[in-house]
Amino acid sequence: MIQRALSDAQSPLRGVSAQDIVLDGGKLYAKSDHAKGETFQALLDRSGQPYLEAKGGAKPGAEKESDSMYAFGAQSAQVRLDADLGQVNVLHMVGCFGSGKILNSKTARSQFMGGIVWGISMALYEEAVTDKPLGR
């Protein structure tokens, strides 16, 4: 959005450095002058595009050298499928983890449980297809 605003001749932010632009609440504005800015929608409307698509990434930082990154987990699930309704019910879930020295058992348990819950949700909603007549 910042690059789009800087390259748009009609943008009130043209000429402002990228480091001096703030994105907040659906609006871009200059740090030094909050009145000098515009909404994301106005910027997109002027460009004639309904949305802006971007790709990003992240790489490990210094924590990679100081913290353990070798934890491992394996999960197994027993599920029941209702073929008529296309519904999946998770009946039983087992997880086994190799995580090294646990410093806080309560936090570790929460992390394990969270990983299992996220894994179930990713598996159940991966390539979900809606049955239009049934609405499911």
Side-chain angles (χ1 to χ4, degrees):
M1 287 299 249
I2 292 173
Q3 291 305 317
R4 174 72 48 99
L6 294 177
S7 63
D8 185 346
Q10 297 176 350
S11 174
L13 296 168
R14 176 113 179 177
V16 176
S17 75
Q19 294 80 13
D20 293 335
I21 296 179
V22 176
L23 286 83
D24 186 34
K27 185 177 178 183
L28 298 103
Y29 58 86
K31 285 181 189 176
S32 59
D33 183 4
H34 290 245
K36 186 175 186 178
E38 65 181 324
T39 65
F40 296 163
Q41 191 62 52
L43 186 60
L44 289 173
D45 287 347
R46 239 186 353 268
S47 70
Q49 291 183 297
Y51 60 89
L52 179 68
E53 187 173 329
K55 291 185 179 182
K59 294 184 180 181
E63 73 278 354
K64 183 177 179 184
E65 302 302 321
S66 63
D67 299 332
S68 174
M69 299 286 175
Y70 302 106
F72 178 79
Q75 290 84 32
S76 178
Q78 179 183 9
V79 298
R80 179 177 292 140
L81 173 65
D82 184 331
D84 294 330
L85 297 178
Q87 291 181 328
V88 178
N89 294 313
V90 178
L91 303 175
H92 190 75
M93 188 79 194
V94 176
C96 180
F97 305 93
S99 53
K101 183 177 182 180
I102 302 292
L103 300 177
N104 184 325
S105 60
K106 197 177 266 190
T107 302
R109 183 178 189 283
S110 293
Q111 289 289 309
F112 299 154
M113 297 293 284
I116 288 173
V117 170
W118 278 49
I120 290 170
S121 70
M122 289 292 289
L124 292 177
Y125 289 103
E126 183 177 355
E127 198 175 341
V129 178
T130 303
D131 183 348
K132 301 224 186 277
L134 292 176
R136 296 182 178 194

